[in-house]
């Protein structure tokens, strides 16, 4: 039996197949809770490998799951994804690696960074407004902040590719957004003007992570070169180099610094290096504890006197 191929659209078919494969292999790189004043910790923001930034309601997702499957039995092979985003925006050309909030009041900005070297920011009130539905794909939500990393000049005036942004951090008092970039530099951007205020140079390889130590006007970066560096935001100079791999006696490819985290007092720093976490007392510049993990650490944070972390199991 043959079908009528008169109106066959090869491009549309190819696009549908690629979209289905993309959805099946989508990776969530970072999550963030929406400001409590708007959602009471019910709304979760996701930055994904398809370049999207989307918001999800936890309570709505749980309710939908109970309606479809009231007995709680889940078949991973047949059950469809139940969670549908409240709002969706195609934020980046390429993966979106990080998402953060700048401020926590009514004027809060939702920031994201990605493989295209951009940092983009939307007014959270607009992003979360019911006026923007998922069907619109977020294309009508215009960013109020849109900056891109500079390119470097090479021989004969050739320009380098735009370096990606792997992570961001914020300092609302200083009006700054910091980016950990793929060109081994960290950048400080002015939120109001959208211009670079400072470039932090010193790492020998690309940066994985960054955190702001706002009480001392510093940032802390972690790099593929295996070191963590503390920077003074006023001078742009590196004030301290921490080498977790040397202290943990790690060798080879497991020595990169994948993520860093500060406690609430900003006196304790956790650094991940491969399958290990080192805990540092910053005033004493001393490694206090070493924690082995089952796999490479993807993300971590302090919760009172505990360190919570996620790992990648294959």
């Amino acid at each position: 039996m043959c079908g009528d191929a008169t109106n066959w659209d090869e491009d549309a078919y190819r696009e549908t197949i690629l979209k289905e494969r993309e959805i099946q292999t989508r990776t969530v790189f970072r999550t963030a809770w929406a400001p409590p004043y708007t959602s009471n910790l019910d709304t979760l923001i996701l930055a994904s490998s398809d370049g999207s930034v989307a918001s999800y309601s936890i309570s709505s997702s749980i309710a939908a799951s109970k309606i479809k499957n009231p007995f709680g039995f889940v078949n991973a092979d047949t059950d469809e994804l139940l969670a549908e985003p409240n709002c969706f925006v195609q934020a980046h050309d390429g993966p979106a690696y990080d998402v953060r909030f700048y401020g926590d009041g009514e004027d809060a900005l939702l920031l994201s960074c990605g493989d295209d070297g951009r940092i983009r920011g939307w007014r959270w009130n607009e992003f979360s407004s019911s006026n923007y539905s998922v069907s619109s794909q977020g294309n009508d939500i215009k960013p109020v902040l849109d900056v891109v990393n500079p390119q470097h000049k090479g021989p004969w005036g050739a320009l380098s590719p735009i370096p990606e942004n792997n992570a961001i951090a914020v300092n609302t008092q200083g009006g700054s957004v910091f980016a950990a970039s793929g060109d081994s530099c960290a950048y400080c951007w002015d939120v109001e003007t959208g211009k670079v205020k400072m470039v932090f140079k010193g790492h020998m390889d690309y940066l994985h992570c960054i955190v702001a130590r706002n009480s001392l006007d510093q940032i802390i970066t972690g790099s593929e070169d295996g070191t963590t560096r503390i920077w003074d935001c006023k001078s742009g100079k590196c004030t301290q180099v921490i080498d977790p791999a040397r202290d943990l006696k790690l060798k080879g490819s497991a020595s990169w610094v994948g993520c860093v985290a500060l406690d609430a007092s900003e006196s304790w720093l956790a650094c991940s290096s491969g399958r290990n976490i080192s805990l540092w007392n910053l005033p004493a510049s001393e490694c206090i504890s070493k924690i082995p993990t089952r796999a490479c650490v993807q993300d971590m944070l302090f919760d009172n006197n505990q360190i919570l972390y996620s790992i990648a199991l294959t």
Side-chain angles (χ1 to χ4, degrees):
M1 181 176 179
C2 298
D4 183 6
T6 304
N7 298 321
W8 176 256
D9 190 335
E10 181 71 23
D11 292 336
Y13 174 74
R14 183 185 298 109
E15 184 177 346
T16 300
I17 296 298
L18 292 176
K19 189 64 177 179
E20 289 179 356
R21 291 180 179 178
E22 184 180 86
I23 292 174
Q24 293 172 359
T25 59
R26 182 182 299 165
T27 299
V28 174
F29 285 112
R30 193 75 67 194
T31 61
W33 291 108
Y37 85 93
T38 60
S39 65
N40 196 25
L41 293 181
D42 179 65
T43 301
L44 191 65
I45 316 301
L46 276 61
S48 303
S49 57
D50 60 356
S52 68
V53 172
S55 65
Y56 292 81
S57 168
I58 301 301
S59 59
S60 297
S61 299
I62 294 175
S65 177
K66 289 181 178 180
I67 291 174
K68 180 176 181 180
N69 193 353
F71 299 105
F73 299 110
V74 177
N75 187 332
D77 295 326
T78 59
D79 283 1
E80 297 179 356
L81 181 66
L82 298 176
E84 292 291 340
N86 296 334
C87 192
F88 172 102
V89 63
Q90 190 62 41
H92 298 277
D93 295 326
Y97 290 134
D98 201 1
V99 62
R100 289 281 187 272
F101 277 93
Y102 179 87
D104 54 11
E106 295 184 358
D107 57 347
L109 296 181
L110 173 61
L111 303 176
S112 71
C113 70
D115 195 62
D116 56 4
R118 292 186 177 276
I119 300 175
R120 283 180 167 160
W122 298 264
R123 297 192 190 282
W124 174 241
N125 281 343
E126 291 185 18
F127 191 94
S128 57
S129 171
S130 59
N131 294 331
Y132 299 108
S133 64
V134 177
S135 61
S136 71
Q137 298 296 295
N139 293 329
D140 48 359
I141 311 177
K142 302 301 182 184
V144 296
L145 177 69
D146 190 354
V147 298
V148 61
N149 284 339
Q151 295 174 274
H152 303 287
K153 288 187 178 181
W156 300 286
L159 293 176
S160 70
I162 298 174
E164 75 277 9
N165 285 320
N166 295 311
I168 50 178
V170 302
N171 182 349
T172 54
Q173 292 182 345
S176 303
V177 178
F178 303 96
S181 178
D183 60 358
S184 75
C185 297
Y187 292 91
C188 174
W189 294 90
D190 188 291
V191 174
E192 293 295 329
T193 65
K195 298 185 181 298
V196 175
K197 295 198 291 187
M198 186 76 68
V199 181
F200 304 88
K201 298 181 180 180
H203 280 291
M204 303 303 295
D205 212 330
Y206 63 88
L207 275 58
H208 285 286
C209 49
I210 188 168
V211 65
R213 194 184 186 192
N214 293 331
S215 62
L216 295 179
D217 201 13
Q218 296 176 334
I219 59 169
I220 302 175
T221 55
S223 171
E224 181 74 8
D225 65 13
T227 66
T228 299
R229 291 175 180 257
I230 301 178
W231 307 83
D232 177 64
C233 293
K234 293 181 179 179
S235 65
K237 295 182 178 180
C238 177
T239 60
Q240 185 178 350
V241 178
I242 296 174
D243 193 340
R246 182 179 59 192
D247 189 80
L248 295 171
K249 296 181 173 59
L250 300 177
K251 295 181 179 180
S253 60
S255 62
W256 75 89
V257 177
C259 54
V260 292
L262 278 172
D263 78 325
S265 71
E266 299 190 340
S267 297
W268 295 91
L269 175 71
C271 302
S272 74
S273 295
R275 298 186 178 186
N276 295 273
I277 295 174
S278 58
L279 179 63
W280 295 77
N281 183 289
L282 293 180
S285 300
E286 183 179 359
C287 181
I288 303 299
S289 179
K290 307 168 189 175
I291 307 168
T293 61
R294 292 177 56 195
C296 295
V297 178
Q298 300 298 302
D299 199 5
M300 61 183 173
L301 57 82
F302 281 87
D303 181 27
N304 295 324
N305 294 325
Q306 302 179 83
I307 298 175
L308 308 180
Y309 62 89
S310 60
I311 58 176
L313 294 175
T314 57

